[in-house]
Amino acid sequence: MSFRKVVRQSKFRHVFGQPVKNDQCYEDIRVSRVTWDSTFCAVNPKFLAVIVEASGGGAFLVLPLSKTGRIDKAYPTVCGHTGPVLDIDWCPHNDEVIASGSEDCTVMVRHMAVVGSGWQLSLEVACSRAKQGPQPASLPLPQVWQIPENGLAAPLTEPVVVLEGHTKRVGIITWHPTARNVLLSAGCDNVVLIWNVGTAEELYRLDSLHPDLIYNVSWNHNGSLFCSACKDKSVRIIDPRRGTLVAEREKAHEGARPMRAIFLADGKVFTTGFSRMSERQLALWDPENFKEPMALQELDSSNGALLPFYDPDTSVVYVCGKGDSSIRYFEITDEPPYIHFLNTFTSKEPQRGMGSMPKRGLEVSKCEIARFYKLHERKCEPIVMTVPRKSDLFQDDLYPDTAGPEAALEAEEWVSGRDADPILISLREAYVPSKQRDLKVSRRNVLSDSRPAVAPGSAHPGASTFAASTTATTPSGSLTGAREAGKLEEVMQELRALRALVKEQGERISRLEEQLGRMENGDA
């Protein structure tokens, strides 16, 4: 009797990875050499951001996706940090907002909004505390930056709002998946802080749940919980609004090297780590029964930390090892062994970091289900993951409705206890970016009682005197009364005046350049 091996059927079984051509890479980028297990890269449908080497501080590049090829050494950077940048993250609800964390204990948020033709406004909100002690009482005023449409024309350096927060370097930055302007930061002080960037204030301080260094933090599908991996080898599930520990698994991986934990769409937790014999492992956990893993697999004995990237639409997890030259991908199902190996993409050069494009930024006409931006020592190389299909029609099974850029909740609604799933969009007609909402900065009364109620002891008493909120479409209840309406009109008038001034100066520059060209050619 002969036995034939049964091959598991999956539409992702033949997914293959392919690097783009050399002229579509980003060359001559001095990728950061900081010894921190971060991705060092963040990408969205508009921009690519890469943490780079910088003398006398920290910096990262922000490049339009179309600016491929060799990047000039003098290309301007975002360099407001005084210490090396450790982590960056694009806001999921505004493709022109990015947050960064640094060794100088700061968290900075920058906003880039298109104004007129060929110009942008850049508004940077920074939440910071210096290593030497508290900041001066006087806070800097908001500042506006003019940036050409094809990228930065000058370095960004000055913060707009400064808050006291972390006392040691900030190595983890991650935005809330469904609530607008909610940002989580974690530092080497073992403290998790949750900010309302819209009001530049600290919402929650979780300083007693982690006894050691925090390796990573991941929100769940609707942002009601987050999980964390800690140096004490524990994986924790935490309710941030109550400040309570929901579940904990000690020694999820027994090895001493860094591990990672991420939430899956169904509420399960996927972890990467090391065994006692320093072999790299993958594991899947059910928070309802944290005692034993649902699945545990050993990969190899390499030293690099495994960075997981999860696609909730396809239930595929991509695992990239720092210092590796490969990307492994697995499909997570409800059938044993739960973690199903699909394939491996292998290249010659090791990766220093990795960025992942959101689903709405992929080319659906080419059956592209993932795109990674692999950092080499001196360049960034996009890698496309594709499902081979012969048909040119839209593939519904590959592209279910996916999370769009619109926030499901305002920050105040989330603080008050509400939860909501991401607002989904269809990719059938290919994703068309919507106009980004401008960011408005105004002064608010910090003594007012309009602040949403929070759980006792979970919110930090300190707050800033600045408030930032989106104004392209005013949220219900955010501006009430004639006084607030008058302030809004005043800001809009000032914005229109700035736009006119930018246009006028642009025309003047064009005239001067034309005159200079005639003089150099001997025509004048």
Side-chain angles (χ1 to χ4, degrees):
M1 181 181 295
S2 62
F3 293 91
R4 185 176 60 182
K5 183 179 180 180
V6 177
V7 178
R8 177 180 168 272
Q9 294 298 317
S10 172
K11 56 193 168 191
F12 304 113
R13 194 160 60 90
H14 299 292
V15 169
F16 67 96
Q18 185 174 11
V20 301
K21 297 180 180 179
N22 286 335
D23 59 355
Q24 294 177 291
C25 295
Y26 305 84
E27 303 279 354
D28 278 357
I29 295 177
R30 298 166 297 160
V31 178
S32 175
R33 295 179 178 273
V34 174
T35 56
W36 184 259
D37 287 323
S38 167
T39 60
F40 289 151
C41 180
V43 64
N44 67 21
K46 288 188 176 183
F47 295 104
L48 167 70
V50 179
I51 301 175
V52 294
E53 285 287 294
S55 58
F60 59 94
L61 278 172
V62 175
L63 303 171
L65 287 185
S66 59
K67 189 172 179 58
T68 55
R70 181 180 175 274
I71 307 301
D72 193 282
K73 292 182 179 179
Y75 193 88
T77 60
V78 180
C79 50
H81 289 290
T82 59
V85 177
L86 301 180
D87 197 18
I88 51 179
D89 192 29
W90 287 106
C91 176
H93 308 127
N94 191 325
D95 290 337
E96 294 154 359
V97 173
I98 188 170
S100 59
S102 168
E103 281 193 7
D104 61 11
C105 314
T106 66
V107 179
M108 294 188 179
V109 182
R110 292 174 175 83
H111 175 258
M112 305 172 187
V114 176
V115 177
S117 175
W119 297 93
Q120 293 177 334
L121 291 178
S122 174
L123 183 61
E124 174 188 277
V125 180
C127 309
S128 168
R129 186 176 188 178
K131 291 180 181 179
Q132 292 80 7
Q135 298 291 326
S138 58
L139 297 176
L141 296 174
Q143 301 183 26
V144 177
W145 308 84
Q146 297 175 358
I147 301 178
E149 199 169 299
N150 60 348
L152 299 176
L156 295 180
T157 57
E158 296 295 329
V160 175
V161 179
V162 179
L163 295 177
E164 295 185 1
H166 293 284
T167 58
K168 293 185 180 180
R169 57 183 179 173
V170 181
I172 298 170
I173 295 292
T174 179
W175 291 90
H176 193 283
T178 61
R180 192 189 318 279
N181 294 334
V182 175
L183 177 69
L184 181 151
S185 64
C188 293
D189 50 9
N190 309 335
V191 174
V192 175
L193 295 180
I194 299 178
W195 308 90
N196 182 349
V197 176
T199 57
E201 61 188 327
E202 186 181 299
L203 294 176
Y204 303 103
R205 172 181 290 268
L206 308 175
D207 54 7
S208 61
L209 297 177
H210 297 91
D212 211 330
L213 178 67
I214 305 168
Y215 286 137
N216 89 298
V217 171
S218 171
W219 293 99
N220 69 347
H221 189 59
N222 64 3
S224 59
L225 305 170
F226 68 80
C227 67
S228 65
C230 185
K231 192 175 181 180
D232 67 352
K233 304 180 184 179
S234 292
V235 172
R236 295 173 174 86
I237 297 178
I238 295 170
D239 184 333
R241 288 171 293 193
R242 292 186 174 89
T244 57
L245 187 64
V246 176
E248 180 179 10
R249 176 60 167 90
E250 297 179 356
K251 294 185 178 180
H253 296 275
E254 296 188 350
R257 298 187 60 80
M259 61 182 186
R260 294 288 187 278
I262 58 172
F263 257 118
L264 304 186
D266 59 1
K268 294 182 177 63
V269 175
F270 181 89
T271 62
T272 64
F274 292 80
S275 70
R276 188 179 300 174
M277 303 302 293
S278 295
E279 293 181 319
R280 297 197 292 190
Q281 295 178 323
L282 310 176
L284 184 66
W285 307 83
D286 183 356
E288 300 295 330
N289 182 14
F290 239 178
K291 293 182 179 180
E292 295 294 333
M294 296 175 60
L296 179 65
Q297 294 186 13
E298 292 187 348
L299 294 183
D300 53 35
S301 56
S302 297
N303 293 326
L306 292 171
L307 306 177
F309 296 88
Y310 173 61
D311 179 7
D313 300 333
T314 59
S315 295
V316 175
V317 174
Y318 302 85
V319 179
C320 312
K322 294 209 72 171
D324 289 4
S325 57
S326 63
I327 302 174
R328 297 178 175 92
Y329 32 109
F330 304 81
E331 186 175 6
I332 310 297
T333 70
D334 295 329
E335 303 172 356
Y338 305 110
I339 303 176
H340 303 273
F341 174 75
L342 292 173
N343 210 334
T344 301
F345 166 80
T346 304
S347 59
K348 296 181 180 179
E349 297 291 330
Q351 54 229 17
R352 298 180 60 87
M354 192 76 70
S356 176
M357 173 67 76
K359 204 64 170 288
R360 55 192 173 88
L362 303 180
E363 294 190 44
V364 298
S365 60
K366 298 180 180 180
C367 294
E368 181 183 8
I369 64 167
R371 189 191 311 156
F372 294 96
Y373 287 74
K374 174 181 176 177
L375 298 184
H376 299 247
E377 187 174 354
R378 299 285 296 184
K379 77 173 183 178
C380 178
E381 177 187 38
I383 297 171
V384 176
M385 297 289 180
T386 306
V387 176
R389 294 280 174 93
K390 294 182 179 179
S391 174
D392 293 332
L393 300 176
F394 179 75
Q395 306 296 311
D396 296 85
D397 60 328
L398 298 183
Y399 302 105
D401 290 353
T402 191
E406 187 61 33
L409 296 171
E410 298 299 325
E412 293 79 8
E413 294 177 302
W414 179 75
V415 171
S416 67
R418 286 190 56 190
D419 293 317
D421 291 337
I423 297 177
L424 304 182
I425 60 172
S426 172
L427 298 179
R428 176 173 290 275
E429 303 299 330
Y431 172 68
V432 179
S434 59
K435 183 178 178 181
Q436 300 299 325
R437 301 167 64 161
D438 293 340
L439 199 63
K440 170 211 157 200
V441 175
S442 62
R443 186 176 294 273
R444 61 171 286 198
N445 180 9
V446 297
L447 300 179
S448 67
D449 295 327
S450 59
R451 188 174 171 185
V454 296
S458 57
H460 190 266
S464 169
T465 57
F466 292 99
S469 60
T470 52
T471 61
T473 57
T474 306
S476 175
S478 61
L479 294 177
T480 57
R483 182 177 179 182
E484 286 78 4
K487 289 182 179 179
L488 176 60
E489 180 61 29
E490 182 181 345
V491 171
M492 294 302 295
Q493 288 179 359
E494 184 177 355
L495 184 59
R496 285 192 289 268
L498 282 172
R499 288 176 176 172
L501 178 61
V502 168
K503 183 179 180 181
E504 180 183 347
Q505 295 299 327
E507 293 173 350
R508 184 184 176 195
I509 290 173
S510 298
R511 291 196 301 269
L512 290 174
E513 288 178 342
E514 183 179 352
Q515 183 179 352
L516 179 61
R518 290 199 302 268
M519 293 176 66
E520 291 177 343
N521 295 331
D523 297 337

